Amino acid sequence: MKKQFMTPLIIFGLLVVLLVVGLMKAKYVRDVPSPLIGKAVPEFSIPTVEDQQKVFTNKDLIGQVSLVNIWASWCVSCRAEHRLLNVIAGQGIKIYGINYKDELPDARRWLSAYGNPYVKSAHDITGRAGIDWGVYGTPETFVIDKKGMIRYKHTGPVYQQDIDEKILPMIKQLQAES
Amino acid sequence: MLSMIMNKKPAARILAVNSILFFILCLLPLHLQAGPRGQPKEPIVFEDPQVESDYLELSEELRCLVCQNQNLIDSNAELADDLRREVAKMLKKGNNKEQVIEFMVDRYGDFVLYNPPFKAQTILLWAGPFVLMFFGIFILLKKIRAGNEEKNTDSSALSEQEKEKLDAILKNK
């Protein structure tokens, strides 16, 4: 082949590689990398959905490995993952909830209808705690270590694959940490 | 409209009523979209024009995390509204623009900025276009120089033999 055709061909080839890589990664584009990973959970103290006299605070998250799940009764994908949350809660995983911008009766109805996998849920009616957690869409799930540090964030509903491949191994690893 | 329906034969009347009902049903799902319910919100009002202009500037510069190709001021998403209010609240409290930006970046990362900072992670973003431009200029210069050299050693120039031949032809004319 003539040399003069080689250069455009190579450039074309490189472009194809670039675009294919971009397309393959495209489904992850919506995931905003969280700057909170490796940091302590934001401070908050909010009355719970279950009992407005009691509060859920960031201090509750210290001393154990836990999940924090952001949910709402109006959130359709939350319903999709709810069954799985019930299953892993039944296996002894501690899940805390942040009920994001929801009406109290709606949230309570949801928990009684679909089961309550949460140790407790904060009733974040204004969504202000959500902003501190960097929430931009429900559901979101955070893995918290024993020191109360955020170690991992999952955006969108968790599927069995996410639980098996990422969340459960992560929890095991963090439980082994002193 | 009612008389129009009533004047028709029974079968046609049923059809007309059904199509109206169907039309109404088509409109219904618009009101059933999922999303947090809330009271209609107060508009954001500023007393200080400087704060207002800071607010507008920040709302243009910050990205909505839900509708990711819109900035806060363009986006109708619930979160965008919350964040706009948060920005307004912080500015009114006397925070400066840098503090608001820091607040947002702490929670949502550099992604929230439409004007990303210059650092190791974004070096390709900032320097990339210039690198490409210089690369292009380099290639262009090389091509032009190669072209010039070709002109200087013009292959269409006549050799000594050819010149003699040409002279002979011209003389014979």
Side-chain angles (χ1 to χ4, degrees):
Chain A
M1 207 185 303
K2 275 189 183 169
K3 199 186 152 210
Q4 70 196 88
F5 293 126
M6 282 306 283
T7 317
L9 195 68
I10 289 169
I11 292 174
F12 175 73
L14 287 176
L15 258 182
V16 167
V17 171
L18 198 71
L19 294 177
V20 166
V21 169
L23 272 179
M24 307 269 264
K25 286 182 76 173
K27 67 173 176 164
Y28 301 112
V29 162
R30 259 193 72 86
D31 283 2
V32 180
S34 176
L36 293 169
I37 288 164
K39 294 199 182 134
V41 297
E43 278 180 32
F44 64 95
S45 176
I46 300 172
T48 65
V49 170
E50 294 86 349
D51 182 351
Q52 289 277 284
Q53 305 303 316
K54 291 185 180 153
V55 290
F56 171 22
T57 87
N58 52 309
K59 295 194 186 79
D60 292 329
L61 297 170
I62 295 169
Q64 64 188 336
V65 177
S66 58
L67 297 180
V68 171
N69 177 249
I70 320 286
W71 65 280
S73 67
W74 46 262
C75 155
V76 181
S77 339
C78 298
R79 191 180 299 191
E81 68 170 8
H82 201 73
R83 189 190 59 82
L84 270 175
L85 295 184
N86 280 329
V87 170
I88 59 170
Q91 291 165 359
I93 307 283
K94 292 262 182 290
I95 310 177
Y96 288 84
I98 293 180
N99 177 238
Y100 181 70
K101 303 195 81 169
D102 212 348
E103 302 292 333
L104 208 49
D106 294 342
R108 286 180 175 157
R109 204 176 310 130
W110 160 284
L111 290 179
S112 56
Y114 303 112
N116 185 354
Y118 305 109
V119 179
K120 50 183 162 181
S121 286
H123 182 228
D124 180 25
I125 178 81
T126 59
R128 186 58 186 73
I131 292 179
D132 283 341
W133 281 81
V135 169
Y136 62 95
T138 49
E140 289 182 10
T141 306
F142 295 84
V143 181
I144 315 294
D145 72 10
K146 289 178 187 169
K147 290 175 192 147
M149 306 270 263
I150 297 173
R151 300 297 289 266
Y152 179 68
K153 174 181 179 180
H154 179 93
T155 317
V158 291
Y159 295 107
Q160 190 68 51
Q161 198 185 2
D162 304 313
I163 302 238
D164 293 342
E165 288 174 11
K166 196 73 209 185
I167 293 173
L168 286 185
M170 187 101 196
I171 290 176
K172 266 204 195 107
Q173 181 204 324
L174 293 180
Q175 277 168 343
E177 284 180 6
S178 55
Chain B
M1 192 158 89
L2 203 62
S3 63
M4 270 168 61
I5 294 171
M6 292 319 232
N7 289 340
K8 283 178 180 158
K9 285 178 184 159
R13 197 190 298 167
I14 289 169
L15 188 69
V17 170
N18 277 351
S19 49
I20 289 170
L21 281 179
F22 178 71
F23 179 69
I24 293 170
L25 274 179
C26 287
L27 295 177
L28 273 181
L30 292 176
H31 301 283
L32 298 176
Q33 280 179 1
R37 288 192 289 168
Q39 302 300 316
K41 290 191 175 144
E42 293 286 311
I44 303 173
V45 197
F46 296 94
E47 275 149 26
D48 184 347
Q50 177 59 40
V51 172
E52 181 161 14
S53 80
D54 283 354
Y55 164 78
L56 288 175
E57 212 170 291
L58 281 174
S59 304
E60 298 251 341
E61 214 173 282
L62 295 169
R63 187 200 291 260
C64 169
L65 282 300
V66 181
C67 309
Q68 292 181 353
N69 283 329
Q70 288 189 309
N71 52 20
L72 285 187
I73 204 134
D74 277 341
S75 176
N76 241 336
E78 185 91 12
L79 179 67
D81 186 56
D82 289 352
L83 291 178
R84 280 195 298 266
R85 279 164 202 284
E86 198 60 40
V87 169
K89 206 166 90 186
M90 286 185 74
L91 289 173
K92 281 179 188 172
K93 267 193 206 159
N95 289 289
N96 60 25
K97 283 199 287 185
E98 285 68 34
Q99 285 168 320
V100 177
I101 287 178
E102 196 188 316
F103 172 90
M104 297 291 282
V105 170
D106 280 350
R107 283 154 184 80
Y108 295 102
D110 286 338
F111 188 82
V112 77
L113 304 173
Y114 262 125
N115 195 2
F118 188 83
K119 57 186 196 184
Q121 263 179 320
T122 56
I123 192 136
L124 197 63
L125 190 67
W126 282 105
F130 297 105
V131 170
L132 276 181
M133 189 179 79
F134 285 121
F135 184 69
I137 290 175
F138 174 74
I139 297 278
L140 192 68
L141 284 179
K142 222 177 145 185
K143 285 259 172 199
I144 290 171
R145 206 164 290 161
N148 281 344
E149 253 162 52
E150 211 169 291
K151 231 180 262 168
N152 293 342
T153 57
D154 197 349
S155 59
S156 66
L158 299 179
S159 66
E160 287 302 306
Q161 241 177 342
E162 287 168 328
K163 268 184 193 160
E164 279 169 23
K165 219 173 177 180
L166 181 67
D167 286 343
I169 292 169
L170 288 173
K171 264 179 205 164
N172 285 344
K173 202 180 166 187

